[in-house]
Amino acid sequence: MHVPNKNFVYGMGSFFNLLNSEHRKCFKIAQENGFFFHSSISYPGSSLFFKSLNDKKLENHKRLILKIAGYSYDQLRFEIDESFKEFDISELYAFQIWEKLPYKNGSINFAELNKIIYYIEDLKKQNIINKIFFQLEPNLFEINEIDFFDGYAFY
């Protein structure tokens, strides 16, 4: 099966089963058609699924988007470090920060957010990541409050 548009994302949740032939077949189709892959260390088993089926010659890690927490600089650093270890990669396409940003006294803690932004900018300068996305919960943020990100995911 060949899909002409290569802007699809194959989401890898915790329900993937290496023994399930349909799951392996879907991964193969996504891999052969240059899909992006979306996962997280918080999805049990997804890194094993990715590492086991990944054809390293196709450089799928360069199309990998990993979801991480961004509610504190320390937590973000921990999840980034663990993601690289868990998925056995040294670079990837993007991180997607889920909808929790650092807060202090009921509003965005911009001092903590700036630490996160500077760290992510450094990862981009080193070509470790290309993009950073932010997952928005409807009606929680005004986009102009947080205009640093390369794009937004909605749910």
Side-chain angles (χ1 to χ4, degrees):
M1 173 183 186
H2 179 71
V3 180
N5 184 340
K6 304 220 189 260
N7 291 321
F8 289 100
V9 175
Y10 181 71
M12 299 186 323
S14 60
F15 62 89
F16 285 98
N17 180 344
L18 279 172
L19 303 177
N20 184 310
S21 63
E22 287 295 315
H23 292 184
R24 291 191 317 272
K25 182 179 176 182
C26 286
F27 187 91
K28 184 178 180 192
I29 290 169
Q31 184 171 243
E32 289 172 351
N33 287 280
F35 285 24
F36 285 88
F37 294 89
H38 182 275
S39 194
S40 174
I41 58 171
S42 64
Y43 304 157
S46 67
S47 62
L48 176 63
F49 188 85
F50 182 83
K51 290 187 296 190
S52 298
L53 299 178
N54 180 33
D55 182 341
K56 291 191 184 233
K57 293 180 292 196
L58 297 177
E59 297 187 318
N60 290 321
H61 64 284
K62 292 185 178 179
R63 293 186 313 278
L64 183 61
I65 301 167
L66 294 178
K67 189 173 182 178
I68 57 172
Y71 56 82
S72 79
Y73 173 77
D74 292 336
Q75 183 65 31
L76 178 116
R77 288 290 307 260
F78 171 79
E79 291 201 21
I80 286 174
D81 293 344
E82 288 301 308
S83 293
F84 283 123
K85 285 183 216 167
E86 187 71 27
F87 281 84
D88 193 24
I89 55 175
S90 59
E91 63 180 321
L92 69 149
Y93 180 69
F95 282 113
Q96 173 190 323
I97 296 178
W98 50 284
E99 76 280 356
K100 306 282 191 265
L101 288 177
Y103 272 91
K104 186 175 184 178
N105 301 325
S107 60
I108 295 174
N109 179 344
F110 284 102
E112 186 81 357
L113 183 57
N114 281 334
K115 285 171 56 178
I116 290 170
I117 289 170
Y118 292 136
Y119 179 67
I120 289 172
E121 284 297 317
D122 191 47
L123 293 176
K124 286 177 161 184
K125 287 176 189 168
Q126 295 177 51
N127 295 314
I128 294 171
I129 65 169
N130 294 314
K131 302 280 183 187
I132 185 73
F133 302 115
F134 183 68
Q135 177 178 315
L136 286 174
E137 185 175 337
N139 303 319
L140 190 60
F141 295 106
E142 295 291 323
I143 290 180
N144 63 359
E145 266 188 304
I146 47 171
D147 63 357
F148 158 75
F149 301 97
D150 295 306
Y152 299 92
F154 298 90
Y155 76 96

